[in-house]
Amino acid sequence: MARTTESDLAPHELRVLVATADTGGFSAAAETLGLTQSAVSHSVRGSERKIGAVLFERGRTGARPTPAGEKAVAHARHILRLLDVLTAEARGAARPDAAEGPLRIAAFRSAALHLLPPVLQRLRARHPTIEPRVRIVREVGRGTVGEVADGKADIGIATLGGSAPLPPGLVASALFEEPYALVHAPGHAVPRSLPLVDWAENCGSYTRDWWAAQDWIPKATVEAEDDGAVLSLVSAGHGMAIMPALSLAGGPTSIRITDLGPNRPTRQVGYVTTSELAGSAVVRALVRELRATVPQSVSLLSGEVDQVERVTRR
């Protein structure tokens, strides 16, 4: 039988590390965990001694993870989550298709608004004991992939195909290709001559080459907070935008959508999870519903876009 060593961290020590990082201080972590401030401080010092590295910078405003601490906390989140999955799946071992407990999902805004609702509806109908928890994350920087890598999400709905490699331990799978289109208010004979409205999450590495090759696209004169604000500005006649299909779902009726042609840019939408959680019952259940629902959602979305394109061409 394997024996623990003095350098092993116990689950309660991992929870202290995570709580300290999440709350930003020993006192707040103590309140969250129902411990004393001195107990939390003592636990963190013990973990630092076992690991052999300073995990938190102490200051008057609280405690902030060092680079070593960020790595330790991310691993702690993953380990604690696997312990939860171990318990849930051991309980359901007699029921191979059973899936229960929390399922933490990170998604960018348009995916959370237009892709996830029918998926979650099917998931709840088939697996009422699963508890989905959705976190909407801006798809800039590390985006939803970073949420999974840091142990804050079990699965992330992400844009794939960028130049940055996946962090170690993560696996990804594509769901569909999402096309971009030109969006503008009606009544403009040459919509491409309008000013450009854009937002930070648009035009990632998957469209950058195409974007750079288009000499008709001006520099953005309006930078909006998100794709919803872009659509609002465009529909009011303040400019045109180049947007992915998910952002156009359920858009205002006062916009027109023009196809960008056979060489139009696309982005790949898929999911990212960890190699360990990929085989868990809750993640597998969500992936099944994603793959069953996405073709229908994309087909409906394409129908809406085609209808608007026909109106545009009259």
Side-chain angles (χ1 to χ4, degrees):
M1 185 180 207
R3 300 175 63 182
T4 59
T5 68
E6 292 184 358
S7 62
D8 290 336
L9 296 186
H12 72 271
E13 292 175 301
L14 300 179
R15 293 188 182 93
V16 168
L17 295 180
V18 171
T20 302
D22 288 346
T23 62
F26 295 159
S27 297
E31 184 174 351
T32 298
L33 297 170
L35 302 172
T36 63
Q37 189 271 344
S38 61
V40 169
S41 179
H42 177 76
S43 178
V44 171
R45 285 198 303 271
S47 296
E48 290 176 326
R49 184 176 62 254
K50 291 178 180 180
I51 293 173
V54 176
L55 303 180
F56 291 91
E57 293 178 357
R58 282 80 160 170
R60 296 173 63 182
T61 58
R64 186 177 63 181
T66 63
E70 290 177 353
K71 289 185 177 296
V73 169
H75 284 299
R77 289 194 185 102
H78 286 299
I79 293 167
L80 291 171
R81 182 63 181 122
L82 288 175
L83 289 174
D84 290 340
V85 170
L86 180 155
T87 302
E89 298 203 353
R91 287 195 191 117
R95 297 170 293 144
D97 295 329
E100 62 180 52
L103 173 61
R104 305 170 304 160
I105 307 165
F108 56 92
R109 181 182 178 277
S110 58
L113 285 175
H114 307 300
L115 180 62
L116 277 182
V119 172
L120 296 181
Q121 184 176 23
R122 288 173 59 109
L123 183 72
R124 287 192 172 100
R126 294 175 185 270
H127 303 280
T129 53
I130 291 181
E131 305 162 20
R133 302 172 185 175
V134 179
R135 177 182 173 91
I136 299 177
V137 179
R138 285 169 63 84
E139 193 69 338
V140 292
R142 299 173 71 232
T144 56
V145 172
E147 295 292 298
V148 178
D150 291 344
K152 296 178 181 178
D154 303 325
I155 186 169
I157 308 302
T159 52
L160 308 177
S163 56
L166 278 179
L170 300 193
V171 294
S173 183
L175 293 169
F176 63 95
E177 289 285 334
E178 182 184 16
Y180 280 70
L182 174 65
V183 191
H184 57 93
H188 294 280
V190 188
R192 294 186 178 201
S193 66
L194 292 169
L196 177 67
V197 183
D198 207 0
W199 81 106
E201 292 177 77
N202 202 19
C203 190
S205 58
Y206 30 76
T207 60
R208 194 171 293 124
D209 292 342
W210 178 90
W211 200 282
Q214 311 306 308
D215 56 8
W216 59 271
I217 302 178
K219 184 176 181 180
T221 54
V222 180
E223 290 280 354
E225 179 65 22
D226 57 41
D227 51 356
V230 171
L231 282 176
S232 179
L233 289 164
V234 168
S235 67
H238 295 296
M240 58 89 173
I242 298 169
M243 306 182 72
L246 274 176
S247 294
L248 301 176
T253 57
S254 55
I255 62 170
R256 293 294 179 265
I257 302 171
T258 302
D259 188 3
L260 288 169
N263 295 321
R264 64 187 179 183
T266 63
R267 68 177 182 181
Q268 194 175 69
V269 178
Y271 65 87
V272 177
T273 185
T274 68
S275 54
E276 296 88 359
L277 288 174
S280 67
V282 288
V283 168
R284 284 189 290 111
L286 180 68
V287 169
R288 280 196 298 270
E289 301 309 332
L290 276 168
R291 294 207 176 279
T293 309
V294 161
Q296 302 172 28
S297 300
V298 174
S299 177
L300 288 172
L301 180 60
S302 298
E304 291 177 6
V305 172
D306 288 343
Q307 183 177 6
V308 177
E309 287 175 353
R310 286 196 295 271
V311 172
T312 303
R313 292 165 182 162
R314 286 177 184 173

